[in-house]
Amino acid sequence: MLWNLLAVYQIAQRTISTAFYTYFENKVPEKQKLFQEDNGIPVHLKGRVTDTLLYRVTMVLRVGGMANAINLLAMASFPKKQH
């Protein structure tokens, strides 16, 4: 029984450790080159299209939220008069 568990453990460990290296390539050096390049672009926008899109969506939501907050404060500051 113990030998069977040991064999299963070794097979599982072997397939997991070799599967990782065969299916994924290391892209870290490419990313390091991209992010360390001095081209005047801020770091948070160097991820190209996805970072730019995420940044713009965040700014639109932020401005919309601020406008909504100011609107709600104005409505709370000037309550409607009762007749």
Side-chain angles (χ1 to χ4, degrees):
M1 179 71 181
L2 184 61
W3 292 108
N4 292 339
L5 288 175
L6 184 61
V8 169
Y9 173 74
Q10 287 176 347
I11 291 171
Q13 191 175 24
R14 188 178 312 132
T15 53
I16 289 173
S17 65
T18 57
F20 179 76
Y21 294 113
T22 57
Y23 293 119
F24 298 106
E25 72 177 88
N26 186 9
K27 295 183 181 180
V28 172
E30 297 169 15
K31 293 288 184 181
Q32 284 177 338
K33 189 185 295 185
L34 173 72
F35 282 95
Q36 290 176 355
E37 185 177 303
D38 188 19
N39 55 4
I41 299 173
V43 171
H44 62 277
L45 296 177
K46 284 192 176 187
R48 300 193 179 123
V49 177
T50 55
D51 282 349
T52 304
L53 183 65
L54 184 61
Y55 176 76
R56 289 184 180 171
V57 167
T58 303
M59 286 299 117
V60 166
L61 289 173
R62 179 180 171 204
V63 169
M66 287 294 290
N68 189 25
I70 291 170
N71 183 26
L72 290 173
L73 283 172
M75 286 175 42
S77 299
F78 304 109
K80 295 181 180 179
K81 294 182 181 178
Q82 296 179 1
H83 296 284

